Amino acid sequence: MPTIHIHNKSGHPQTFEVHGFNNNHNITVPPHHTSNISAGAHDSGAIIALHNGHEGEQAEITFAGFGGNDFFDISNIVGAGGNITIQQVGEPSTRKGDPLFMQNLRHAWDHASSSTKHSLSGSVFTDGKGHVERIGPIKEHPSLENFVRSFADGKTYIGVGAWGGSPGVDSDNQQSSAAKGSKDSLITYNDGDASPETPHHAPHLAHRSPPPHSSMKLVEMSTHAAPHKPEAHKGPGIDLHNRSHKEDKYFFYDNYWNGNGTAGANFDHPLKAVHLHAGASTFVPLPHTFKGRVQRGTLIPATWVEFQLDASNDHHAHGDISLEQGYDGPATIAATDGSGRKNGFEKEILKGAPAGAIVKRSDGERVLGSTMGNWMAGPNEEAARWEEKEVGEKKAYIKGGTGRDDVGSGNQRLRVDFF
């Protein structure tokens, strides 16, 4: 029989209204705790977060429905006051919901016109300082539905969907897509990011609802093969080298947030883009607070070179190579402080890879799949086994964990080579 695991990441007890499970008895989950509800093999129901007695965001679940598959979604049609996500346990590619719904709601409200706010009176509820605490039932307020779609369309159920003869909205209807097979469900609640907690170094899939970055401007750089002198640069940054035989464009992504062994990976808003001809190199200045990655292009699967420039413990730059979100070519990372520290690999490993390890990226390129899984697919075990054989865990992160040789540089600058 399946189990519903409800994890409360917040610092306060959270009560959920339960329909269809737990004999329809509400459940209160203590802070930083997981409570479990047993379900029948074909049960259906909903888990609804309550905010001062008002219904809010909810997870709707049907176990082993059509074709024996689970169907679930996150809905805000009766309101919202917190953030919630749902997925099959161990299957991050099945995740649904906006883990930063309330943050995006508050940003949209703060930037809304006075006429928009007036039209939403009675459906958006704020505290004494004007900060949004919750919203009422979307289904009862057409203007609220339009407002919520401006920042959350395609991430949760907003309207009623295809129901009672209405065709609904396609982006809502797509929330009802089936998972593969039937498994336990994991519901994660938080006032902040409601993405499930991840093991050390596992990619955090915050991409489904990135914080707004309307003020962020992409900085673009371009260079031919003219030599440069990295020692002339005193600030933090990356000596970037294109060691391949074709020109390429490299994108620098600063994480959305950083925690103890986890990070909110940024998939949507690169900080800088650098165009390099074959054989060219350049110094890329970056803020000392940068913690993120550089990769070829903007698509995944791709090889990630992950780094930070000012670690809190020693104020050195540190970096590594990660194949957890795929592989599209070799890369190395090295210190520039004279220590000689270096890691990564230069060998092309696509040739000879098993067919099951290879995927066709959206740009038509053949690459190795993600070993950890993401919103597009689950973990590619054949890719992981091939990379462990051809590269090894000492040279790159393949499936999380520890054991890589750390590359640190005391001058807050690192050299990155893409092959």
Side-chain angles (χ1 to χ4, degrees):
M1 296 295 184
T3 299
I4 303 170
H5 306 272
I6 307 175
H7 181 59
N8 178 14
K9 287 177 67 176
S10 78
H12 60 81
Q14 178 59 43
T15 298
F16 297 90
E17 186 176 289
V18 182
H19 296 276
F21 311 108
N22 201 42
N23 293 319
N24 296 318
H25 293 156
N26 289 5
I27 183 172
T28 298
V29 184
H32 310 296
H33 183 79
T34 300
S35 297
N36 301 321
I37 295 177
S38 297
H42 300 279
D43 282 357
S44 294
I47 310 293
I48 308 172
L50 295 178
H51 303 283
N52 296 321
H54 299 281
E55 292 180 333
E57 58 284 357
Q58 63 178 300
E60 302 172 312
I61 312 169
T62 295
F63 288 106
F66 179 76
N69 299 314
D70 292 339
F71 291 79
F72 49 80
D73 61 73
I74 297 298
S75 171
N76 292 104
I77 63 174
V78 298
N83 302 320
I84 195 170
T85 60
I86 185 172
Q87 68 174 69
Q88 287 181 323
V89 171
E91 299 290 347
S93 64
T94 65
R95 191 173 306 159
K96 294 181 179 179
D98 184 344
L100 290 171
F101 181 93
M102 290 301 296
Q103 283 70 23
N104 294 332
L105 166 63
R106 289 169 183 140
H107 180 270
W109 177 259
D110 290 343
H111 291 79
S113 65
S114 57
S115 60
T116 296
K117 291 182 177 180
H118 178 73
S119 71
L120 297 172
S121 60
S123 59
V124 176
F125 301 91
T126 61
D127 61 15
K129 296 181 179 180
H131 300 141
V132 177
E133 291 187 324
R134 67 178 183 87
I135 58 174
I138 295 175
K139 62 182 181 179
E140 297 176 3
H141 300 275
S143 58
L144 179 59
E145 177 176 340
N146 294 333
F147 177 66
V148 172
R149 288 198 187 281
S150 71
F151 63 86
D153 193 39
K155 298 175 183 177
T156 75
Y157 253 114
I158 298 171
V160 296
W163 188 260
S166 170
V169 176
D170 187 56
S171 55
D172 288 341
N173 297 335
Q174 290 176 6
Q175 301 303 309
S176 297
S177 60
K180 187 175 182 180
S182 187
K183 298 183 178 181
D184 289 357
S185 290
L186 171 62
I187 295 172
T188 304
Y189 173 87
N190 200 6
D191 300 324
D193 192 324
S195 298
E197 293 175 337
T198 55
H200 176 74
H201 205 81
H204 188 90
L205 304 179
H207 58 276
R208 293 186 65 96
S209 58
H213 282 260
S214 57
S215 62
M216 180 180 290
K217 293 184 178 179
L218 176 66
V219 177
E220 298 210 32
M221 300 171 60
S222 181
T223 184
H224 292 269
H228 73 286
K229 295 181 179 180
E231 64 273 10
H233 298 276
K234 301 301 183 182
I238 297 295
D239 290 321
L240 183 64
H241 295 250
N242 179 3
R243 300 279 298 279
S244 74
H245 299 294
K246 63 179 182 178
E247 64 182 61
D248 226 324
K249 199 169 187 178
Y250 304 91
F251 289 80
F252 289 77
Y253 290 85
D254 205 359
N255 291 336
Y256 282 134
W257 59 264
N258 296 279
N260 182 19
T262 61
N266 174 357
F267 291 82
D268 306 271
H269 294 86
L271 180 68
K272 286 192 174 183
V274 181
H275 180 268
L276 289 179
H277 288 265
S281 61
T282 192
F283 178 76
V284 184
L286 293 165
H288 74 94
T289 56
F290 186 96
K291 293 183 180 182
R293 73 181 187 278
V294 58
Q295 68 172 78
R296 299 174 185 85
T298 59
L299 302 176
I300 58 171
T303 305
W304 285 11
V305 180
E306 304 173 311
F307 63 93
Q308 60 178 314
L309 297 174
D310 187 3
S312 59
N313 61 337
D314 61 6
H315 299 292
H316 292 186
H318 292 269
D320 60 72
I321 307 299
S322 174
L323 305 180
E324 294 173 331
Q325 286 301 318
Y327 164 88
D328 65 349
T332 60
I333 188 167
T336 65
D337 61 358
S339 63
R341 287 185 287 266
K342 181 179 179 180
N343 207 359
F345 60 102
E346 301 179 16
K347 176 186 175 182
E348 170 58 66
I349 63 171
L350 185 65
K351 184 178 180 180
I358 299 173
V359 298
K360 190 174 182 180
R361 204 166 56 187
S362 59
D363 61 353
E365 289 289 322
R366 295 171 70 250
V367 296
L368 298 182
S370 167
T371 63
M372 299 294 289
N374 50 46
W375 70 99
M376 297 185 294
N380 189 313
E381 297 296 341
E382 288 197 62
R385 287 191 293 269
W386 177 253
E387 290 164 359
E388 287 166 357
K389 173 178 177 291
E390 296 296 313
V391 177
E393 288 276 5
K394 289 287 288 181
K395 295 182 179 179
Y397 279 96
I398 296 174
K399 294 201 74 173
T402 59
R404 270 119 235 100
D405 294 331
D406 176 71
V407 176
S409 191
N411 57 3
Q412 297 187 341
R413 298 193 302 276
L414 295 161
R415 171 172 172 155
V416 172
D417 290 68
F418 284 95
F419 298 83

